[in-house]
């Protein structure tokens, strides 16, 4: 069997299945219009300034990009008040998660986080021969920081906190995070995945930037895929104090962030107006969807992201199929052990209105069949 040739840990892994499974691609082609509400993309798209910068950068595609994305690191450093030397960039936050785990986890080391959460922590831990230790989120679907602390032992190397969490959209209070980080034993490093961090609207909420400045043992991961609308470009980054960023710089593949992507990311950081439009629209549409979903009898709480985690009180695998034939891709949550829940990205106003209409029609169709 060819599998015998594979690295042993690879046998435990499955390919990543996104909200838009390959088998659906053909069927999608037959649909007039598809609303992609399963992958938490930005429905308003990238900043026009980023588009212009990327178009310009394409002309220099025959040159390698800047080896370590110095211009982008300088720009981020200026915004956050952090030394550019304390950043590492990569091909999306996915690539950074791989990098962090490959840089810190030895075979047999444990990586602790809550579930449900982003699948890549599990996969990358297995790949390097580590052991994922998964703890159920609290009843209100939040990361259970006390339970994570209790699970730490001599083998623990990393604890990963997805904040806000995907797929639940919840966050933990910043003062609880701060206390948690300061209670970690010296042999444990915290990873704070803030892929959705820009969507947090709580005033004066501390993020990885503040924790880093306070000297806490945290590696923060961010991305340009969500609020900046550059998912197709693949730009992610991490920042941390010297002793944690150095191994990442050593392991990082050269030129991990391509020339066009870096130009887009730099220009996106300059377009505050576009970012504020994105955040305003997301909040407004979230409030509208929550109201409509509740009136349909679903349970849904406010989110700190660009998606909602909804108990739709029905088999969401089946519902996703019905919605798909009407041109909507949503993410059923049975894979996370929540068969009546779906994760639905917040779309444009028009997409959201059509989605609500489709849900009402499906419901009245089901009622008329009884
Ligand atoms: C929590 C979380 N972390 C990381 C990522 C990866 O983001 P990127 O597109 O930058 O690879 C995602 C993508 O959905 C995510 O939800």
């Amino acid at each position: 069997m060819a599998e015998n040739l594979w690295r042993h840990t690879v046998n435990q892994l499955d390919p990543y299945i996104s909200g838009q499974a390959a088998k659906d691609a053909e069927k999608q082609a037959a649909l007039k219009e598809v609303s992609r509400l399963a992958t938490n993309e930005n429905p308003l798209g990238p900043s026009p300034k980023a588009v212009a910068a990327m178009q310009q950068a394409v002309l220099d595609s025959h040159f390698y990009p800047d080896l370590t994305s110095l211009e982008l690191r300088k720009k981020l450093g200026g915004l956050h008040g952090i030394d550019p030397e304390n950043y590492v960039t990569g091909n999306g936050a996915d690539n950074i998660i791989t990098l962090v785990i490959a840089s810190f986890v030895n075979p047999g080391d444990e990586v602790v986080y809550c579930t449900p959460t982003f699948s890549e922590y599990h996969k990358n831990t297995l790949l390097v021969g580590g052991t994922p230790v998964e703890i159920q989120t609290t009843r209100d679907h939040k990361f259970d920081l006390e339970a994570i602390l209790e699970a730490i032992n001599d083998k623990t190397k990393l604890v990963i906190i997805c904040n806000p969490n995907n797929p639940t959209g919840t966050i933990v209070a910043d003062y609880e995070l701060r206390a948690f980080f300061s209670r970690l034993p010296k042999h444990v490093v915290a990873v704070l995945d803030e892929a959705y961090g820009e969507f947090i609207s709580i005033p004066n909420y501390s993020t990885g930037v503040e924790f880093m400045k306070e000297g806490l043992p945290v590696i923060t991961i961010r991305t340009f895929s969500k609020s900046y609308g550059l998912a197709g470009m693949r730009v992610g980054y991490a920042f941390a104090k010297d002793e944690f960023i150095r191994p990442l710089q050593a392991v990082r593949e050269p030129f991990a962030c391509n020339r066009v992507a870096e130009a887009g990311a730099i220009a996106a950081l300059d377009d505050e107006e576009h970012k504020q439009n994105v955040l305003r629209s997301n909040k407004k549409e979230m409030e509208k969807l929550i109201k409509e979903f509740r009136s349909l009898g679903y349970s849904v709480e406010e989110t700190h992201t660009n998606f909602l985690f909804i108990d739709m009180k029905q088999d969401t695998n089946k519902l996703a199929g019905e919605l798909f034939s009407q041109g909507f891709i949503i993410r059923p949550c049975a894979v996370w052990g929540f068969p009546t829940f779906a994760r639905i990205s917040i779309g444009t106003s028009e997409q959201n209105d059509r989605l609500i209409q489709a849900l009402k029609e499906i419901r009245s169709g089901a009622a008329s069949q009884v």
Side-chain angles (χ1 to χ4, degrees):
M1 286 286 277
E3 286 87 335
N4 295 337
L5 301 175
W6 302 357
R7 191 163 142 194
H8 299 318
T9 56
V10 175
N11 288 311
Q12 306 169 69
L13 310 181
D14 293 313
Y16 180 77
I17 307 274
S18 83
Q20 183 198 2
K23 69 175 169 52
D24 291 337
E26 277 174 33
K27 288 196 229 151
Q28 268 188 54
L31 293 168
K32 219 168 53 233
E33 200 184 330
V34 176
S35 292
R36 297 161 55 107
L37 304 178
T39 29
N40 309 334
E41 292 153 339
N42 184 335
L44 301 188
S47 142
K49 289 186 183 166
V51 173
M54 292 188 288
Q55 283 169 333
Q56 191 60 36
V58 166
L59 301 176
D60 286 333
S61 297
H62 53 305
F63 294 128
Y64 278 100
D66 176 358
L67 182 65
T68 64
S69 321
L70 180 60
E71 287 311 311
L72 176 56
R73 291 189 290 113
K74 278 191 194 158
K75 188 94 198 168
L76 289 166
L79 281 175
H80 299 149
I82 292 175
D83 189 330
E85 292 305 312
N86 290 93
Y87 289 83
V88 70
T89 63
N91 188 33
D94 278 337
N95 177 224
I96 301 285
I97 293 167
T98 303
L99 181 62
V100 171
I101 293 178
S103 305
F104 282 88
V105 179
N106 290 304
D109 284 352
E110 293 187 355
V111 177
V112 188
Y113 51 86
C114 283
T115 182
T117 194
F118 191 50
S119 58
E120 294 304 283
Y121 315 143
H122 180 83
K123 176 180 153 185
N124 283 288
T125 302
L126 289 178
L127 179 63
V128 297
T131 306
V133 177
E134 301 190 339
I135 293 166
Q136 202 60 40
T137 48
T138 58
R139 287 165 78 86
D140 52 358
H141 309 302
K142 291 188 178 172
F143 258 57
D144 191 338
L145 300 182
E146 278 308 314
I148 292 178
L149 281 174
E150 278 168 31
I152 290 176
N153 60 37
D154 291 349
K155 291 192 202 150
T156 310
K157 177 58 69 68
L158 296 181
V159 293
I160 306 181
I161 313 294
C162 188
N163 197 59
N165 186 35
N166 174 7
T168 62
T170 50
I171 55 172
V172 282
D174 54 353
Y175 58 86
E176 288 174 21
L177 272 181
R178 182 176 282 111
F180 170 82
F181 294 139
S182 57
R183 285 168 68 192
L184 290 174
K186 288 265 175 287
H187 67 282
V188 177
V189 179
V191 179
L192 182 60
D193 184 342
E194 292 187 338
Y196 301 93
E198 293 90 3
F199 292 102
I200 301 173
S201 60
I202 300 170
N204 302 319
Y205 185 88
S206 295
T207 63
V209 171
E210 285 75 37
F211 300 137
M212 147 120 196
K213 290 179 185 167
E214 291 163 25
L216 292 165
V218 187
I219 300 170
T220 302
I221 298 178
R222 294 204 180 160
T223 179
F224 282 84
S225 295
K226 308 299 175 182
S227 61
Y228 292 104
L230 289 170
M233 278 292 125
R234 318 299 302 123
V235 194
Y237 64 97
F239 53 91
K241 55 183 171 179
D242 295 352
E243 67 205 84
F244 297 152
I245 211 73
R246 228 172 285 133
L248 305 186
Q249 289 163 345
V251 176
R252 176 186 188 267
E253 70 178 69
F255 312 112
C257 183
N258 78 66
R259 172 176 287 282
V260 178
E262 185 188 4
I266 291 170
L269 291 173
D270 273 332
D271 196 347
E272 189 57 24
E273 194 187 335
H274 182 73
K275 186 175 158 193
Q276 290 310 324
N277 275 342
V278 167
L279 298 183
R280 242 191 328 269
S281 161
N282 187 70
K283 193 163 190 328
K284 183 165 162 253
E285 291 303 310
M286 170 184 79
E287 284 163 4
K288 177 174 89 186
L289 282 174
I290 288 179
K291 203 164 138 247
E292 294 283 355
F293 287 153
R294 286 184 180 155
S295 77
L296 282 163
Y298 309 156
S299 292
V300 57
E301 297 305 321
E302 281 213 354
T303 178
H304 299 274
T305 63
N306 61 347
F307 57 83
L308 289 161
F309 184 61
I310 312 143
D311 184 356
M312 305 182 87
K313 316 268 172 85
Q314 59 193 299
D315 174 353
T316 49
N317 270 329
K318 179 166 174 280
L319 179 67
E322 290 167 324
L323 281 172
F324 183 77
S325 55
Q326 300 202 31
F328 298 94
I329 308 175
I330 63 160
R331 186 77 193 245
C333 295
V335 282
W336 282 291
F338 291 85
T340 63
F341 281 67
R343 190 192 68 195
I344 302 185
S345 310
I346 298 168
T348 61
S349 178
E350 196 259 329
Q351 283 175 324
N352 298 332
D353 290 345
R354 282 196 290 111
L355 173 71
I356 297 294
Q357 190 54 36
L359 285 167
K360 285 181 180 164
E361 282 166 20
I362 288 170
R363 196 173 70 161
S364 62
S368 66
Q369 281 166 11
V370 173

